[in-house]
């Protein structure tokens, strides 16, 4: 990596249970385009950022940006099955990546044959080939079902506002 990149879970505090809304913070030492990819416990990859609109997201130098962004509230990230070990990878590059070549669409990709490491290496190879500065950060999460009983929250899904 060529610059500092920080990825952290802003909320909720562990334990990460079903129905809880996730918020992440990403900060880079320099201005950069950011991409967030999540792998759930079944190995399914989801491109979380850019979001549903597919717009590029550019970080300002040394300024933390929250995802999902509160400015437009275009989507929510909610913990849902399958539960278990999950990985979130932040990738940042000083130039826009040709993400359409790395990821054929911007929705969950259930037939992805790539492991988190393989996808990250694919993206890093592209970043290195672009001769731009780049960085990556990894966050490991453990999700679990909501407690049973009368206080169990109702099942929620990711909501997309148009």
């Amino acid at each position: 990596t060529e610059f500092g990149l920080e990825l952290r879970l802003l909320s909720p505090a562990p334990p990460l249970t079903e129905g809880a809304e996730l918020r992440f913070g990403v900060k880079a030492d320099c201005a950069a385009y950011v991409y967030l990819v999540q792998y759930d416990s079944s190995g399914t990859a989801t491109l979380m950022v850019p979001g549903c609109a597919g717009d590029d997201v550019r970080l300002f130098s040394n300024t933390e940006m929250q995802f999902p962004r509160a400015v437009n509230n275009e989507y929510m990230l909610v913990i849902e099955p399958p539960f278990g070990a999950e990985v979130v990878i932040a990738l940042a590059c000083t130039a826009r990546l040709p993400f359409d070549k790395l990821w054929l669409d911007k929705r969950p990709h259930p037939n992805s044959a790539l492991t988190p490491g393989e996808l990250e290496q694919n993206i890093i190879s592209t970043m290195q080939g672009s001769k731009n500065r780049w960085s990556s950060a990894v966050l490991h999460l453990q999700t679990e079902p909501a407690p049973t009983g009368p206080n169990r929250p109702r099942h929620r899904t990711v909501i997309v506002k148009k």
Side-chain angles (χ1 to χ4, degrees), residues 13-105:
L16 304 178
T17 56
E18 179 179 13
E21 193 174 332
L22 294 170
R23 295 197 60 75
F24 297 95
V26 181
K27 181 178 177 181
D29 289 352
C30 66
Y33 291 92
V34 66
Y35 305 88
L36 292 182
V37 178
Q38 177 246 357
Y39 277 86
D40 67 23
S41 62
S42 73
T44 300
T46 302
L47 178 62
M48 298 190 305
V49 173
C52 303
D55 298 331
D56 290 323
V57 176
R58 190 142 198 248
L59 298 174
F60 293 102
S61 179
N62 294 309
T63 304
E64 183 175 71
M65 186 177 284
Q66 295 183 15
F67 297 99
R69 295 186 288 170
V71 238
N72 54 12
N73 281 328
E74 65 185 41
Y75 60 94
M76 295 171 25
L77 301 172
V78 178
I79 297 172
E80 296 181 327
F83 305 111
E86 301 196 10
V87 177
V88 177
I89 302 170
L91 301 147
C93 189
T94 53
R96 183 189 176 280
L97 291 177
F99 224 78
D100 52 334
K101 293 179 183 174
L102 300 170
W103 195 280
L104 298 179
D105 68 25

Side-chain angles (χ1 to χ4, degrees), residues 90-143:
L91 301 147
C93 189
T94 53
R96 183 189 176 280
L97 291 177
F99 224 78
D100 52 334
K101 293 179 183 174
L102 300 170
W103 195 280
L104 298 179
D105 68 25
K106 292 179 170 51
R107 296 172 303 198
H109 199 292
N111 298 321
S112 174
L114 299 175
T115 66
E118 289 169 334
L119 178 63
E120 184 179 15
Q121 284 307 312
N122 189 8
I123 295 169
I124 288 172
S125 296
T126 301
M127 288 192 283
Q128 288 171 330
S130 71
K131 298 183 181 177
N132 290 292
R133 296 176 63 211
W134 62 272
S135 192
S136 65
V138 177
L139 183 63
H140 296 273
L141 306 174
Q142 183 70 33
T143 60

